[in-house]
Amino acid sequence: MAGIYIHIPYCKQACHYCDFHFSTYLRTKPDLVDAICKEIRLQKSYLSGEPIKTIYFGGGTPSLLSSYELEKILNTITENFSVSKNPEVTLEANPDDLSEENLYTFKSRGINRLSIGIQSFNDNFLHLFNRAHTSQMATKAVSKAKNVGFDNISVDLIFGVPNQTLQQFQKDLEKIIALDTQHISIYGLTIEENTTFGKWKKTNKIQPIDEEVAASQFELIMDVLASSGFHQYEISNFSKPGFESQHNSSYWKGEQYLGLGPGAHSFNGNSRQFNIRNNSKYIKAIDDGQIPCNVELLTNNQKLNEYILTKIRTAKGISLKEIKDRFNFDFAGNYTDKISLYKNQGLIELSEYLMLTREGKLVADSITENFIVD
Ligand code: SF4
């Protein structure tokens, strides 16, 4: 089984924290959709005939696609790949695009999972982020989506915002739980250099949040969501039973996927392929019958490190047997001292699997760094 990711690199306006590939120049959108359809045809052998079980429209802002554009891309996928019977088809959407009319269109075109970017319920923070919606619009978008019949909805929230208090964040958590969706993704804000926030940080216009406050917010997330029936199946992802994102889970399982569009990347088990992050160069190259990408052949150690980096973040953790069978690597034998140190500190548990404890999740990055194989 395999997945397809389609990157729609357009946004109405630039969020101040965003480091993804996108453009606010929307006039090239029809040409880019044509180019994506051509890329689908050019890449039809990439997944070696594996059935497609998940399709994911990410971005950028895929909810800017018209009904015609969405249908065109989906039809081209089904004409060129063998799509399994009931695929999970996700569309990332911003609340300001979710009119009832758009929602009916998305549903009728085959979208069966929405991932709605709410980010905050505090309008001052939404303004600071330069989001194109208010908290009220976000709440209404979720209730409209439910009325239209969407029964698999994920919502995104950001924590660790500069000057955000624990009390303010607690209100966000209460509001997101009250929406009663099936899935919640919550990410800590990172200030990337090439963003507006990155520039503001250099000039001291904003300061990253105190690490202890961010850690308290993350502890609150884990406690409150667990007591509200959500399972933390990955460090940043929480779901009601049976509503884990199949698409993202397949990344974490190391399954193959094809990424289409500028800035998308693909993985076929042996190599990674990165499409150019430039809309006009992408369109031009695809027009000329070329896929503008860099291909990186993965060594055994690179594959092993990717396995460690992704699996350690999941609830199941790192399988010592799988790591031995797939990569011929004796994880416990190579890391005896580090494992006993982390066990004594209460940061990991070890059985057939190595898993982060609740405390370990708070320092996941530094633990992971110490398990990277040279
Ligand atoms: S809408 Fe999403 S992709 Fe676009 S700028 Fe904002 S965060 Fe980035």
Side-chain angles (χ1 to χ4, degrees), residues 11 13-15 17-18 20 22 59-61 94 131:
C11 296
Q13 57 195 58
C15 299
Y17 56 85
C18 183
F20 296 141
F22 68 92
T61 313
N94 279 346
R131 297 286 297 175

Side-chain angles (χ1 to χ4, degrees), residues 322-358:
E322 192 180 0
I323 221 166
K324 177 81 186 141
D325 293 348
R326 277 179 58 187
F327 307 104
N328 193 24
F329 186 74
D330 175 9
F331 192 88
N334 273 279
Y335 290 127
T336 315
D337 293 347
K338 285 174 189 166
I339 288 173
S340 78
L341 176 75
Y342 289 143
K343 265 178 82 178
N344 291 338
Q345 291 175 337
L347 300 176
I348 60 168
E349 282 171 16
L350 187 72
S351 54
E352 288 168 31
Y353 289 84
L354 180 140
M355 286 169 290
L356 296 174
T357 61
R358 185 176 181 281

